[in-house]
Amino acid sequence: MIELKKLFFESLKNYKNFRPYTDDEIDDEVEEYHSNEYTKGKLPKMWKDKDDGISDIKTASHEFLDDSELKSLQNSDVGDILSSDNELETAVKLSKKYGKNYKSILDGLKKKVKFPPPLVVKDKKDSLYLLGGNTRLMLGIALGYNLPVKIIPWNGEIK
């Protein structure tokens, strides 16, 4: 017998409408890392300065995460979406909780708007930590899309 959740994941379509980050978006992501004590505690000394972050984001490769990677992704609610009985309702509820403009993201995903891909850090043990883009990723999954992510390799270890 095929599990419905497994069938759901296997039916995710790769969302291929993405665009590069703008310089301002990169600056925002790097600044968020440096101002977020929780993330800095999980990824200590990942970027010593702004230039390190800018370089890592610009050179990170694009990948589509598989089912097990999505479910194990730290600092993300994607696992909750994948295990929910109502993926969209759960994703919208979480987006509202975080104060995100979920309506424009949902509308954009439905219209195949180009978004910058979420940022994921991959440590030396292949553990994954979502650095940015949780709302885009959750809502994409809820609509049946597997969004590409930018993988930032890191020689450290996620705490």
Side-chain angles (χ1 to χ4, degrees):
M1 180 184 292
I2 297 174
E3 289 181 48
L4 287 179
K5 291 296 173 191
K6 186 170 183 161
L7 184 63
F8 174 73
F9 177 77
E10 290 174 354
S11 68
L12 289 177
K13 296 177 183 132
N14 286 348
Y15 189 86
K16 297 186 180 182
N17 300 303
F18 61 94
R19 63 168 174 78
Y21 276 81
T22 65
D23 289 340
D24 286 343
E25 289 169 336
I26 291 173
D27 287 345
D28 289 347
E29 293 292 351
V30 173
E31 179 59 36
E32 187 172 337
Y33 166 79
H34 285 293
S35 65
N36 186 320
E37 293 304 318
Y38 178 79
T39 295
K40 284 194 329 188
K42 298 296 274 181
L43 309 169
K45 300 178 184 176
M46 184 175 84
W47 294 329
K48 66 179 178 189
D49 59 29
K50 185 176 178 179
D51 290 338
D52 282 349
I54 290 169
S55 176
D56 278 355
I57 291 171
K58 284 186 174 183
T59 60
S61 63
H62 295 92
E63 292 183 28
F64 288 96
L65 300 179
D66 67 25
D67 183 35
S68 63
E69 291 170 323
L70 286 167
K71 288 177 181 175
S72 71
L73 186 59
Q74 296 180 51
N75 197 41
S76 174
D77 296 298
V78 169
D80 293 338
I81 304 306
L82 289 169
S83 63
S84 173
D85 290 331
N86 188 330
E87 295 84 7
L88 188 55
E89 181 181 301
T90 303
V92 167
K93 181 189 274 187
L94 287 166
S95 298
K96 285 179 181 179
K97 174 183 163 186
Y98 300 138
K100 299 296 183 174
N101 186 352
Y102 71 93
K103 290 179 183 178
S104 68
I105 296 171
L106 278 174
D107 188 52
L109 288 165
K110 289 174 184 176
K111 292 178 179 176
K112 307 276 195 276
V113 167
K114 292 184 177 187
F115 289 101
L119 300 173
V120 174
V121 175
K122 186 176 197 173
D123 75 2
K124 65 183 180 182
K125 292 187 172 183
D126 292 334
S127 295
L128 301 172
Y129 184 92
L130 184 70
L131 194 59
N134 187 46
T135 303
R136 280 171 278 160
L137 195 55
M138 290 193 300
L139 292 169
I141 294 288
L143 290 176
Y145 295 116
N146 187 6
L147 273 60
V149 298
K150 286 194 89 159
I151 299 289
I152 301 168
W154 181 47
N155 289 330
E157 189 175 330
I158 299 167
K159 303 291 181 202

